[in-house]
Amino acid sequence: VVSYEGEGFVRSNIERDIDQGRQRILQSEQQRAEALALNANSVSSLPLLRALMTSTDGATVRDSLLEYQQQNRKTDVLFIVLDSKGGVLARTDRIDAAPIQSISETLAKSSEETKILVLSIDGAAFHVAISPVQGGGELYGYVVAAARIDTAFVRDIQDRFLHSRRPAKHAYLS
């Protein structure tokens, strides 16, 4: 009887821990998606970007993205600017405008709102926010803000988990 009750207690603790872990992962992904959407929307709303997209080359657009990235301390975010058909104009991670195959299909579905999804970019998984660049009823293209799903992201989730599991320190124990 004691063994059976003990197993039930252990099983319920394991199930609770798994559910809490799932919730932490979902919360981390949601927070990351919101931050990426904010970044994509911020860049897409820059009047300078629309002017650069229509009157300069990809290298100038890239320089502008890099400047934004550095000024706003967003070096962990990959920024990509696409033309209205989904072709890559500029990327902050590469000098060349290497195409991204999976984006064209995503843009074909709808282009009015910011989209948040997971995409493969150059063979790696990324959380991605795609925001349209619009003005005067015209679609100029899109801004992509992306963050790689890698060991650093997993470590962040682990740190949150460990932090939430630490017992509270009380003044009388110090």
Side-chain angles (χ1 to χ4, degrees):
V1 172
V2 172
S3 175
Y4 180 74
E5 288 177 0
E7 285 178 25
F9 178 74
V10 169
R11 188 177 306 112
S12 69
N13 280 344
I14 290 171
E15 289 171 0
R16 185 190 69 234
D17 284 350
I18 289 170
D19 287 340
Q20 289 174 351
R22 281 188 191 120
Q23 289 302 314
R24 273 191 273 298
I25 291 169
L26 292 173
Q27 288 171 348
S28 294
E29 286 185 325
Q30 181 65 34
Q31 289 171 352
R32 189 179 225 202
E34 289 170 1
L36 289 170
L38 180 63
N39 279 293
N41 289 332
S42 294
V43 174
S44 69
S45 66
L46 295 171
L48 176 63
L49 181 63
R50 283 178 280 211
L52 291 173
M53 290 175 75
T54 58
S55 62
T56 63
D57 60 354
T60 306
V61 174
R62 181 176 187 269
D63 289 344
S64 179
L65 287 175
L66 289 170
E67 184 177 327
Y68 175 88
Q69 192 180 45
Q70 290 167 356
Q71 286 178 349
N72 293 283
R73 295 186 177 108
K74 300 295 179 187
T75 55
D76 58 334
V77 177
L78 166 62
F79 288 101
I80 304 168
V81 174
L82 309 170
D83 63 23
S84 60
K85 296 177 185 168
V88 176
L89 293 175
R91 300 170 56 152
T92 56
D93 66 332
R94 299 173 65 142
I95 293 174
D96 65 328
I100 301 167
Q101 303 303 326
S102 54
I103 286 188
S104 298
E105 300 140 18
T106 302
L107 297 177
K109 295 176 186 168
S110 169
S111 62
E112 297 299 313
E113 298 178 3
T114 300
K115 295 178 183 158
I116 299 171
L117 55 146
V118 174
L119 283 179
S120 175
I121 300 174
D122 299 335
F126 282 80
H127 286 118
V128 172
I130 304 172
S131 181
V133 180
Q134 301 172 341
E138 184 178 345
L139 176 67
Y140 293 88
Y142 304 90
V143 170
V144 176
R148 193 175 190 143
I149 302 171
D150 59 5
T151 55
F153 179 62
V154 173
R155 256 188 246 115
D156 181 53
I157 293 171
Q158 287 174 328
D159 289 347
R160 290 176 194 218
F161 176 74
L162 292 174
H163 180 70
S164 70
R165 303 249 336 186
R166 288 187 189 123
K169 288 188 175 182
H170 298 285
Y172 59 86
L173 295 176
S174 302

